[in-house]
Amino acid sequence: MKKYLSIIAAALVIASCGGNQHKADDPLADSGRTQRTENLLSNLKQLGDSTVYLFGHQDDPICGMGWSTDGNDSTATEQHSDIKSICNDYPALAGFDITGIEKGNQQTAEGKELSLIRQEVINTYNDNGIVTLSLTLPSANAVAPLAAFLNSLETPYGVRVPVLLRLRGQQSKALWQSLAEGLKENDVTNALLVYAPTVDSLTTEQKYMEQYPGDDIIDLLGLSYYCDAPEGDTTLVARYAQQLDRQLTMLAAIGKQHGKPIAVAETGYNGIKTDDWWTHTLATVLEKHPISYVLLWSNASPASFFVPYPGHTSTSDFVRFYNLPATLFRHDVNGPYN
C-alpha cells in the first residue's frame, strides 16, 4: 500500500433496529440528513484543508475500453475497472450520470440500466468508496423520480448511501432552489448538493456565482473544465494547465469566503495524447490548490476515453500519478462516512 489516509471521526457502530439485529443504525443529524451524509461532508472539508485529494472516474465499474457490464454475473467477486487493471486499485470516487431518470425511465439517456447503477452505488459504498451522481434536469417538475431513486439507494442492512449530487449543463438559480425543495419534500436525507458549472478561460467570480442558489442549498463548490488539445498540441495542453490553475485559484477564494469545500467536478483529456499528462500537467496544477477531489470522465469508446487502459501510452505515467503522495485511491481511504 503506497499510502494510507484514515478519515475517521468516530467508530462505525452497528446497532439493532427494533427487533431485527441485522439492521444497522442510520440516524439523522440535526440538519435532517443522515449522520453518515454529514460525516462525508465533514471529511471532504478536511481533505480541502490537507495536501491530498481523492481521485475519481466516471462509470468506472460499468464500462471501460472494450468491455461493459450488465450486472448479471453472479460469479463475479469484484468490480471490473480500467483503473484497477492498471494499478491494482480502484478510484476513491465513482461517478454515474442518471440523466433520463427525470422522465421515469428505467434507463439513463446513455442506455445504462438504473438498477445496475443502483447496485454499483451500493457496491462502491460497501467498499469504502464515495459516489457522485450527475444529471441534466430540464425542470423542477422532474424531481420526484430523482428523489425516489435517491431514496432507493439503501443497503440490505438498512443504510441509505450518501451521495454527491450535481446538475450538469445549463443551470439556473430557480431550478436549484426547486430541486432542493423537492428533495426535502420527498424526504431525501442522503444527498449533498454540488454546484459546478462549466467554466472557460473568461470565467470570472461574478460569472461563476451568477446562478448560485445560496449557501443554505449548496454543500460543495466545483467546476467542470476539459483539456482540448487535438493531436497532442503542447501549446494547448499548457494553456489548459494555465487556465485550470487560474480557475482553481478563483474557486479556492470563493470556497473560503463561503465556507465550502471545492473540487474539480469534471475534467479530462480525451484520448490523452501526451504521455506525461498525468504528472506533468494535471498533478502539477492540482497539487497547488485545496481541492477535495477530481473526477475524470468515462472510458466510453475508442473515440471517447479519459483514463488509460492496459497498453495505452500514458499508462506508466498514470502509475506514477497513482503513487504520488497527494493522490488518494480506494485503498487509501478508510471510513469516509464515519
Side-chain angles (χ1 to χ4, degrees):
M1 189 179 299
K2 66 188 175 83
K3 53 195 185 277
Y4 186 78
L5 176 72
S6 181
I7 316 178
I8 299 179
L12 175 61
V13 179
I14 303 300
S16 63
C17 179
N20 188 346
Q21 62 180 355
H22 299 293
K23 288 291 185 178
D25 187 25
D26 195 23
L28 294 179
D30 292 340
S31 65
R33 295 185 293 212
T34 69
Q35 187 61 57
R36 285 176 175 83
T37 305
E38 291 298 330
N39 292 345
L40 174 60
L41 178 59
S42 177
N43 288 324
L44 290 172
K45 289 179 179 178
Q46 290 184 44
L47 280 171
D49 293 332
S50 70
T51 58
V52 296
Y53 54 87
L54 304 166
F55 178 85
H57 183 213
Q58 184 78 1
D59 293 329
D60 189 75
I62 289 181
C63 64
M65 190 56 62
W67 64 270
S68 62
T69 180
D70 59 11
N72 293 322
D73 185 1
S74 60
T75 65
T77 58
E78 61 179 21
Q79 294 172 315
H80 202 166
S81 163
D82 280 350
I83 298 296
K84 177 74 157 50
S85 65
I86 291 173
C87 54
N88 197 34
D89 201 353
Y90 295 104
L93 184 79
F96 305 97
D97 191 86
I98 55 174
T99 300
I101 196 173
E102 72 283 353
K103 299 177 181 179
N105 297 339
Q106 296 305 306
Q107 289 186 332
T108 70
E110 297 174 336
K112 298 180 176 67
E113 296 290 336
L114 285 169
S115 59
L116 172 60
I117 291 178
R118 178 185 297 108
Q119 186 57 55
E120 294 299 350
V121 167
I122 294 171
N123 290 345
T124 299
Y125 170 82
N126 284 335
D127 194 38
N128 265 329
I130 298 167
V131 172
T132 176
L133 301 177
S134 59
L135 78 161
T136 302
L137 195 63
S139 71
N141 297 329
V143 173
L146 169 61
F149 180 76
L150 293 172
N151 285 332
S152 75
L153 300 177
E154 185 173 301
T155 68
Y157 47 92
V159 171
R160 284 191 186 181
V161 176
V163 296
L164 298 162
L165 180 64
R166 176 172 64 93
L167 294 183
R168 297 187 73 205
Q170 186 65 32
Q171 302 181 15
S172 72
K173 185 180 300 185
L175 182 59
W176 270 113
Q177 293 167 340
S178 296
L179 171 61
E181 292 170 2
L183 296 181
K184 185 175 181 180
E185 290 172 358
N186 286 277
D187 298 320
V188 174
T189 59
N190 57 327
L192 299 171
L193 299 187
V194 180
Y195 178 79
T198 299
V199 304
D200 56 42
S201 60
L202 301 177
T203 296
T204 63
E205 180 174 342
Q206 180 180 2
K207 184 177 179 181
Y208 178 89
M209 295 294 289
E210 63 186 5
Q211 295 299 329
Y212 185 66
D215 290 346
D216 58 329
I217 291 177
I218 297 301
D219 300 292
L220 188 145
L221 299 173
L223 56 81
S224 299
Y225 189 59
Y226 282 84
C227 180
D228 183 12
E231 307 305 322
D233 187 316
T234 56
T235 299
L236 294 179
V237 170
R239 184 177 301 171
Y240 161 81
Q242 293 165 358
Q243 296 300 342
L244 181 61
D245 184 31
R246 175 178 174 272
Q247 300 298 343
L248 285 176
T249 298
M250 176 190 71
L251 187 61
I254 298 173
K256 184 176 181 180
Q257 179 183 352
H258 291 263
K260 306 292 182 183
I262 67 169
V264 180
E266 194 174 318
T267 195
Y269 181 13
N270 191 10
I272 323 164
K273 298 179 178 68
T274 55
D275 295 348
D276 60 358
W277 188 80
W278 300 99
T279 59
H280 286 71
T281 301
L282 187 64
T284 55
V285 175
L286 299 186
E287 68 186 10
K288 298 190 290 183
H289 301 282
I291 66 169
S292 54
Y293 68 84
V294 58
L295 178 74
L296 278 291
W297 206 240
S298 63
N299 282 10
S301 72
S304 179
F305 65 93
F306 293 86
V307 302
Y309 51 88
H312 187 266
T313 56
S314 75
T315 297
S316 295
D317 190 57
F318 186 86
V319 172
R320 287 189 287 271
F321 174 82
Y322 169 80
N323 283 309
L324 292 174
T327 59
L328 301 179
F329 286 69
R330 192 78 57 87
H331 285 162
D332 306 314
V333 179
N334 181 40
Y337 308 98
N338 298 344

